[in-house]
Amino acid sequence: MQREAQEKKELMTRLNRIEGQVRGIGKMIDEDRYCIDVLTQISAVRAAIDKLALQMLKGHARGCVADAFRHERGETAIDELIIVLDKFMK
């Protein structure tokens, strides 16, 4: 199922922001910045990635999983979702 244009734009905006944060961390390391400052930025990137993943999961549940139920493939969609959620909990 394709994403709506607005949803795709929001996902790409988040991803571009994360990419900039990661580049910033690289610059901080290159500049020998204080470890705690670098670790703080790494923590911020992890939180941003978690938010991106949550946004993707919401879209998947509301779009792909709902569509699967309409086409009688709901159980398969739930199984896939559980596998993905398990990966995020490790």
Side-chain angles (χ1 to χ4, degrees):
M1 190 166 167
Q2 290 188 341
R3 290 177 188 81
E4 293 183 20
Q6 181 62 30
E7 179 186 4
K8 191 173 186 177
K9 181 181 176 187
E10 290 171 7
L11 289 168
M12 291 307 298
T13 298
R14 281 186 185 273
L15 189 58
N16 290 334
R17 189 175 308 124
I18 291 166
E19 183 180 10
Q21 288 175 298
V22 171
R23 280 195 308 269
I25 291 169
K27 184 177 177 186
M28 291 174 78
I29 291 170
D30 189 51
E31 294 172 352
D32 293 322
R33 297 276 298 270
Y34 185 54
C35 297
I36 295 300
D37 293 340
V38 176
L39 290 166
T40 298
Q41 290 306 310
I42 291 170
S43 176
V45 169
R46 290 179 70 180
I49 289 172
D50 286 346
K51 287 181 182 180
L52 175 65
L54 180 59
Q55 187 174 355
M56 289 285 307
L57 286 167
K58 285 179 182 179
H60 179 69
R62 291 184 177 135
C64 300
V65 174
D67 186 59
F69 270 96
R70 284 190 290 274
H71 294 93
E72 299 183 18
R73 297 184 319 266
E75 291 300 317
T76 300
I78 288 173
D79 291 342
E80 290 174 340
L81 187 56
I82 289 170
I83 290 167
V84 167
L85 289 171
D86 183 55
K87 291 177 184 180
F88 280 95
M89 294 181 165
K90 292 181 179 180

